[in-house]
Amino acid sequence: MRITTEFTPFEQIEADALIVPVFEGVREERFGAADLTDAGEVTGKPLELTLIHHPPGVSASRVLLAGAGKPDKWDAAQLRSLSGAAVRHLMAKSLKRIALALAPALATGENVSAAVEGAILGEFEPDRYKTGDDRKSVERFAVVVEGGSPDLAAAADHGRILAEAQNFTRSLVNEPANRLTPSGLVEAARKLAAEYQLDCQVLDREQMEKLGMGALLGVAQGSAEPPALIVVRYKPAAGATKTHLGLVGKGVTFDTGGISIKPADGMEKMKYDMAGGAAMLGAMQAIAELKPAIPVTAFIPAVENMPGSRAQRPGDIVTSMSGKTIEVINTDAEGRLILADALHYARLQGCTHMVDAATLTGAIVVALGHLNVGLFANDDHLRDRVLAAAKAEGERMWAMPLEDGYKDYLKSAFADLPNVGGRWGGAITAAMFLKEFVGETPWVHLDIAGTAWLDEAKPFQAKGPSGVPVRTLVRLALDWQE
Ligand code: BES
Ligand code: ZN
Ligand code: ZN
């Protein structure tokens, strides 16, 4: 999809369809909308779509009136959804040249970026492995601002970079586990690094053995696929900073549960258990292009959790790189085991602040459903920064408790800690477990089990991988003030 910005009057735009946002309670006079509004057929309710052929006085072949909701509820997130829903609607009709009209009052950089993001995210379909030639796509998407200034072109480009990075994450998450093994994830990281001039280093099993990463290696030992710890580095051109941001992402390319095997029903979805790792790679792609002032390093422990004959057993005790011993009560709680070593390693690599993202627990889905990412933090300041970035990017996150009182839920008679707590507060005990491995380093844990994959399509987004929380992570790095 080619993205452009145009500053000519809406009437002169050549396109297969021109998207026009209409607000609730605001009568749109142009484009033949007035009659439809008066008849109550166009109300402006969010994501209501009305297609008009041969609209009067307009060069575009069609106008799509797109409900923008109440003016006082309007924000960039609303526009992102509107743009996505409109593009999906038009794309389904095989229309290829699309434009979106932004009234001068709405023509901020944030809005232009959001419109572009919505379009690119809306176009994404997880249909890579469908054969046949009926794949639909959009050729050109133009944001039109009458009399707008050229700096809006930079905002459009910013949106394009973010959305393409997010779609890169979605395409990785969508890969089935036979096609994306831990080595496949390594290959993807190496390709990304080469293309975007990032540094990429991969620790193999032997190197991890030397470092004593017993928690990570214990998970990997049941699979014929070798594990890896992927490290991708971005360094700003201008010298030293106090901050070094670490992004740690769970990269389980398939989670059978191991010996504590999962039920067959729905197990196919466990290919998305590397969504945290894929989000870090997507974030690094955008970071390489947008160049924040602070160094950012992604750490992605990549393993396959299988019940092979060498698999770890419930009751096994492993020694993590930090020296803490862990009793593996349930081999399906593998994400926290690989993250324990990755977080510890990230600290030793000099990260001053860390954010991890992981499809960690079914419990977070019970707690928050599919709407909010569960956010846990050991530091109020970093928590607020991440929440602010998430809000600005329209990625919903909800702060969950992480108090010492929950420590009692994690007791082992035989090792320093067990890898699971009791029946209650499962997302919290998982976060409490991770907390044991970050020391004093300010850290935020994002449990994306409920939000990284959509079981049902939305008007603005295909079913499948969502690409959360790529935009939040990129904004966090870009907005960083020391
Ligand atoms: N990958 C799963 C968590 C998950 C569940 C992701 C549903 C996406 C959707 C994780 O490794 C896991 O299996 N967690 C267990 C932990 C339990 C054994 C304490 C869970 O949540 O059931
Ligand atoms: Zn699991
Ligand atoms: Zn898992």
Side-chain angles (χ1 to χ4, degrees), residues 250 252 254-255 257 262 270 273 305 332-335 359-361:
K250 173 175 172 180
V252 176
F254 197 78
D255 183 10
K262 287 179 181 297
M270 280 301 123
D273 215 17
N305 189 21
D332 196 11
E334 84 297 340
T359 46
L360 204 62
T361 67

